[in-house]
Amino acid sequence: MKKLALLVAIASATAAHAQGTDEPFFHLRKFYGASNNGTARSQAMGGAFTALGGDLSNAYINPAGIGFYNRSEFSGTLNFSGSNTDANYIGTGVNTRRSPLDIGQVGVVFSRDAMGTRVRKSNFAVSYATLNNFGNTYNYSGQNQDHSISDSFSELANGSGLTPAQIKEDYDKYNNAPDGYSMAVMGGLLFYENGKYWVNEDALPIQQSGTVTESGNLGQLNLSYGANFDDKTYLGAALGIQTLRFDRSTIFNEPFPASAIHLRSQYYDNDLSITGTGLNLTVGLIQRINDHFNVGASVTTPTLMWARDGFIQYAGVNAVNSSSVPYYSNAQTAVDEFNYRITSPLRASAGVSAFLPKKIGVVSVEAEYLGYSRMGIKAKNAGPWSDTQNGLIQDEFKDVVNLKAGIELRKGIARLRGGVNFINDALRYADEYNVKKNTVIGSVGLGVRNARFFADLTYSRFVNTGVYNPYVLDAGDHNSVAFKQARGTVGITVGSFF
């Protein structure tokens, strides 16, 4: 609860845009941002499967497509991603590269005939898909002529009303601090004089540097059912069980210039871990108009996610001499944990697919609505904090419509595919967060398919932009890390029929 109170204070003090980038409401953009995922076939065609069937990605895109299967199938997908991140801080750019591997999708479809009814096929599928991958690492560095992270801690400490004696008594009792500013006092970053907290070293400029490492994903287990009515109407429903894991570790260093009197350097690190489990429901319809056209629609309810947040901070100094440090040369906070509930955006899609003459292929297009402004966060016994977070969601996020298109050409057992996603960013003030207003994901793919097995290969690429604040100041004159991540993904799917 101490962290909740601190976040309320930060939210109140940082009313300007692009300052609350480390609050729970802002992480929702990362968790529920649109992406291109699923099987290699789906990725290659831009995910435009609302009006197409016969692919395991239908389990979460439109479960009516599960009704298209005429035989049982097992398949799995691996994604190899390579990212190149450029981070700019106070006019200095740093480049970082990484290459993670993750499971894109795995699942099985059980197909069976329905006897004596209009239902031609009654199919059930169990599958898992990675909806979003959070892997990202970037380094940054820049020379700060105006302030240090201690200025941020001194503002918080002076607003606390606590004396050093009170802070030390609490720290010595538990061997950790309840919050960041108390940690800064105990760790030597601040000193107390004339009723105020001051930075322990004010020598400028400072060559600030840091590293941000993020990992984890949002995955979903799908229990899906699809039915085929007279080879014309396909209905489906799916229960989605989501699992969330987001880990972020930050390292921040400040070596002082040779003119420093009290400290040679100081550091501040923190670790954040967010886990959660949630449920949603998807229903869908695909209607075959004739031999050349299908139309489809699906709706996914907001996911109700029960999340747990764990946060710990570390700080310390390298002092010129022992008398320069009032108490200790390093300190840490307790692991601050609290629980809250997340409500994700409502998702609704509508599309049309056109089958080319002589069965040489198919073209599919669709529109996807995401209701970001209707997301929500609620913590038990923390009404003011919940109201603040939901107010920020309303102020900072907007509903969007994304467009998807894909094509598949067929020649014998060979397949050639291409796709595009046009994604609008959910941030209402994207420019102020250094975020592109829209992102285009382009994709291409190949495949082979015979009576017993299939294999698909795809490549997709997109550029993600964002901002990270190492620390904030009440006046809003702090500096931000602006990053641009170019990510290319190779997806490989293999499967067999049984």
Side-chain angles (χ1 to χ4, degrees), residues 418-476:
V420 63
N421 278 8
F422 185 84
I423 298 173
N424 288 293
D425 198 278
L427 288 175
R428 196 180 300 275
Y429 306 101
D431 290 341
E432 297 187 34
Y433 284 99
N434 191 50
V435 170
K436 293 173 64 176
K437 292 184 178 180
N438 53 68
T439 298
V440 176
I441 303 177
S443 53
V444 294
L446 301 169
V448 293
R449 184 173 297 249
N450 63 24
R452 299 187 63 181
F453 82 97
F454 61 92
D456 298 310
L457 176 70
T458 185
Y459 174 79
S460 61
R461 187 180 187 278
F462 77 100
V463 175
N464 180 38
T465 56
V467 66
Y468 168 74
N469 295 322
Y471 58 90
V472 297
L473 298 172
D474 287 348

Side-chain angles (χ1 to χ4, degrees), residues 83 85 98 100 132-137 214-217 485 487:
S83 64
T85 304
R98 68 189 303 271
N132 263 319
N133 187 302
F134 309 135
N136 191 20
T137 297
E214 298 178 337
S215 62
N217 65 59
Q485 181 195 42
R487 175 180 291 184

Side-chain angles (χ1 to χ4, degrees), residues 87 94 96 136-141 208-214 248-253 268-271 468 470 481:
V94 179
T96 309
N136 191 20
T137 297
Y138 53 92
N139 302 307
Y140 61 91
S141 178
Q208 298 175 325
S209 63
T211 299
V212 178
T213 302
E214 298 178 337
R248 192 202 61 207
S249 176
T250 69
I251 298 172
F252 185 75
N253 295 305
Y268 169 70
D269 305 336
N270 66 59
D271 295 316
Y468 168 74
V481 181

Side-chain angles (χ1 to χ4, degrees), residues 103-124:
I103 297 174
Q105 164 272 334
V106 63
V108 60
V109 178
F110 300 98
S111 179
R112 66 182 184 90
D113 295 329
M115 305 298 293
T117 68
R118 289 183 54 212
V119 181
R120 301 290 180 87
K121 288 290 181 178
S122 181
N123 302 334
F124 178 73

Side-chain angles (χ1 to χ4, degrees), residues 192-248:
Y192 189 76
E193 187 176 83
N194 298 326
K196 289 189 64 177
Y197 290 96
W198 307 86
V199 299
N200 203 358
E201 182 57 69
D202 58 6
L204 297 170
I206 308 171
Q207 188 64 36
Q208 298 175 325
S209 63
T211 299
V212 178
T213 302
E214 298 178 337
S215 62
N217 65 59
L218 178 68
Q220 181 165 303
L221 176 67
N222 306 285
L223 306 177
S224 313
Y225 174 79
N228 171 352
F229 293 83
D230 296 326
D231 291 329
K232 293 182 179 180
T233 302
Y234 302 82
L235 299 176
L239 174 67
I241 305 171
Q242 286 191 356
T243 55
L244 169 68
R245 176 83 193 193
F246 174 64
D247 294 304
R248 192 202 61 207

